[in-house]
Amino acid sequence: MKDNNEPPPPLPGHDALAPRSRTRGDPAPEDRPLRILLACNYDPANAATVCDHINAFPRYSRHEVHVLSKVGEIFEGLDLANFDAVVVHYSLALALETYVGPRSRRALAAFPGAKAVFIQDEYRFVNATLAALQACGVDLVFTCLGPAEAARVYGPLRTEQVLTGYVPHPLLDYPPIPLAARRTMVGYRGRTYPAWHGEQGREKIRIGKLFKRDARRFGLTTDIAWSERSRLYGRDWLDFIRNCQAVLAVESGASVFDFDGAVAARTESFAALVERPHPIPGLGRKASYETLRDRFFAGREDEIDIAQISPRVFEAIALRTLVIAYPGRYSGVIQPWRHYLPLDKDHGNMAQVAAVLREVEQVAEIITNAYAEVALNPANGYAAMIDRFDALVADLAAERPAASLDRCVGPAFRKAFPVSLVSNPHALRRPGLLRRMASRLLRPLRAWRRLRRLLR
């Protein structure tokens, strides 16, 4: 349950920690906090769940976590010897040089301290990721895979299983809107994934399409969409969930692990080449999923199980909205009929689901169970994840050289690598279209001004 109903600790700024008095070269006491550099791509205008994950490190860690938000040559102008450990967040794909450049990879490889990487969507760029992990000498990989599956993918590398996301504590403070006052009965926002993601990728669209089709027969109001322009972020996404009596959900992940990238390259190339566009929507022709599957990834689905509970499920439960989901394991966190309303994958029990939605007290009971037993369970919170992270990184750092300098937390570091952490990214309003366009136009100008200041 929630700890004495106390709010989570305040989120410190990445520069809020004062430098220690230990002089250069002095041995570090065993019980002192480690100095950890967390390299990430912190973008509050994008999915709030990514910011939730990053926020958890400075908020809950017992160590000194310094957030570096940068893409490309992320370590340029930075002496990694100032840190006991370096962690690369999943918002930076280590496999891609556009996220972590070659000089930064060499700097990470030369770093003698503890090195850890968080990885998500790890069914992509598998071989490239493995090569980068080996080249950089990474000690620990935080993965979405269970131990047996992780051993198949990462071999002898040390791994630790984590979820893609946890309960965002700021959402627990929002009072529930009465079910009768909510504008929509069932809502959903999906995304069309490439065919090579397999059946697990298709489910994320199928559940929305079939439910929207069948809802008319049962008189259910819906707000269901799956185009990119219909996606919601920040406060818009939060308001959407709170004003739905129920939201749809499936397990996260994909069915196909593409180790060398060939499956994606062949499938997407063939699909693009045989497509027959037409100016009238609906008259164009595309290769069917079955055609692409049989040609390029027949027998490759479900070789490695990566299915997990989605952060969306935690968000809905925290905001006291009913979850309607395809049956699955959901990382052992939620149970059908107690924490969510199960919807058969063929939608054969749609009449039963519609009947339950009209039983306000039954819906309220499932929501209440989920909130009390899932959202308020400390094991499902970010603090529990960070406790494990702290212990594992401390074990690694104990065998490595301590940080050699203390000046890294001073004004020069803060000026060179500014970042402003948002305590509750779910409360942000996304900038309007004109403001986003203006920001893109002004970005090169701001970069030029920074360059001129550096040259001076």
Side-chain angles (χ1 to χ4, degrees):
M1 301 295 290
K2 192 175 181 182
D3 307 355
N4 301 321
N5 292 319
E6 293 180 359
L11 185 65
H14 87 300
D15 58 347
L17 299 165
R20 300 191 303 273
S21 59
R22 184 170 58 87
T23 57
R24 182 174 181 173
D26 285 348
E30 292 184 0
D31 60 347
R32 72 161 175 85
L34 299 174
R35 183 181 295 136
I36 298 174
L37 178 69
L38 176 65
C40 64
N41 181 20
Y42 193 84
D43 182 9
N46 212 315
T49 185
V50 180
C51 293
D52 285 332
H53 200 279
I54 296 169
N55 287 349
F57 291 87
R59 172 176 280 155
Y60 296 114
S61 179
R62 67 174 182 267
H63 301 302
E64 295 180 7
V65 177
H66 303 275
V67 179
L68 171 69
S69 179
K70 197 175 177 185
V71 176
E73 292 301 346
I74 57 176
F75 300 134
E76 196 165 28
L78 181 63
D79 186 356
L80 295 184
N82 293 320
F83 301 94
D84 299 294
V86 173
V87 179
V88 179
H89 188 259
Y90 70 76
S91 53
L92 293 174
L94 187 63
L96 304 179
E97 290 188 355
T98 52
Y99 285 94
V100 183
R103 293 194 300 275
S104 292
R105 292 195 199 189
R106 290 194 291 270
L108 186 59
F111 174 62
K115 291 174 272 192
V117 174
F118 280 79
I119 302 181
Q120 287 195 14
D121 294 341
E122 49 203 297
Y123 47 83
R124 306 178 304 160
F125 319 123
V126 184
N127 288 350
T129 298
L130 292 171
L133 292 170
Q134 183 176 11
C136 295
V138 172
D139 303 299
L140 176 62
V141 175
F142 289 90
T143 171
C144 298
L145 298 172
E149 304 286 23
R152 294 176 59 191
V153 174
Y154 296 106
L157 268 175
R158 184 177 178 183
T159 61
E160 178 73 11
Q161 186 181 20
V162 290
L163 300 180
T164 54
Y166 294 82
V167 177
H169 278 93
L171 300 192
L172 299 177
D173 296 329
Y174 289 87
I177 296 174
L179 293 171
R182 302 190 188 191
R183 294 190 296 266
T184 305
M185 291 187 73
V186 181
Y188 183 64
R189 286 295 182 270
R191 170 177 277 169
T192 302
Y193 287 86
W196 66 267
H197 283 222
E199 284 295 333
Q200 206 166 337
R202 295 185 79 204
E203 284 181 357
K204 299 168 186 177
I205 295 300
R206 183 192 301 127
I207 190 172
K209 286 185 175 181
L210 295 183
F211 199 98
K212 187 173 184 177
R213 179 200 67 188
D214 296 339
R216 300 188 190 100
R217 291 192 290 120
F218 297 97
L220 304 178
T221 61
T222 63
D223 185 349
I224 295 173
W226 46 85
S227 66
E228 286 299 313
R229 64 177 178 272
S230 68
R231 293 185 69 80
L232 302 170
Y233 297 92
R235 184 60 182 268
D236 294 334
W237 175 241
L238 183 146
D239 290 343
F240 175 76
I241 296 175
R242 295 185 72 211
N243 281 286
C244 290
Q245 294 181 25
V247 292
L248 304 176
V250 298
E251 288 184 298
S252 67
S255 301
V256 179
F257 255 70
D258 188 11
F259 279 84
D260 59 4
V263 173
R266 290 174 180 273
T267 306
E268 294 179 15
S269 295
F270 184 88
L273 291 169
V274 302
E275 181 179 354
R276 297 181 183 178
H278 195 281
I280 301 176
L283 295 183
R285 293 183 60 185
K286 296 182 179 181
S288 69
Y289 168 78
E290 290 74 18
T291 296
L292 298 173
R293 177 196 61 199
D294 295 344
R295 276 179 175 268
F296 302 112
F297 54 94
R300 294 286 302 274
E301 295 196 61
D302 302 320
E303 290 179 322
I304 295 173
D305 183 8
I306 197 175
Q308 268 203 353
I309 189 170
S310 165
R312 287 187 174 196
V313 175
F314 284 131
E315 290 172 341
I317 291 175
L319 293 169
R320 284 171 272 198
T321 293
L322 178 68
V323 174
I324 301 173
Y326 284 162
R329 292 190 308 277
Y330 293 96
S331 307
V333 175
I334 56 176
Q335 302 171 20
W337 294 109
R338 182 160 189 85
H339 304 131
Y340 73 95
L341 183 57
L343 172 65
D344 293 345
K345 291 191 177 183
D346 62 1
H347 291 233
N349 69 331
M350 185 68 185
Q352 184 184 28
V353 169
V356 172
L357 286 172
R358 291 189 170 88
E359 294 292 335
V360 175
E361 290 188 1
Q362 187 174 0
V363 170
E365 183 179 358
I366 297 174
I367 292 173
T368 300
N369 289 338
Y371 182 76
E373 299 169 10
V374 176
L376 299 185
N377 185 344
N380 299 324
Y382 278 102
M385 182 199 79
I386 297 299
D387 281 345
R388 292 163 57 202
F389 165 82
D390 281 350
L392 290 166
V393 172
D395 287 345
L396 291 174
E399 303 171 357
R400 301 301 181 89
S404 60
L405 298 175
D406 280 342
R407 292 192 295 271
C408 73
V409 291
F413 178 85
R414 297 194 296 270
K415 184 177 180 180
F417 308 105
V419 60
S420 179
L421 302 182
V422 179
S423 292
N424 182 12
H426 300 268
L428 291 179
R429 290 286 186 190
R430 196 183 191 199
L433 178 61
L434 290 177
R435 185 174 175 182
R436 295 200 302 273
M437 292 176 63
S439 178
R440 291 193 189 100
L441 292 172
L442 292 174
R443 194 174 299 149
L445 179 60
R446 290 196 295 268
W448 170 244
R449 288 174 177 170
R450 285 196 295 270
L451 178 60
R452 289 182 63 184
R453 285 198 297 268
L454 288 173
L455 292 175
R456 288 173 185 167

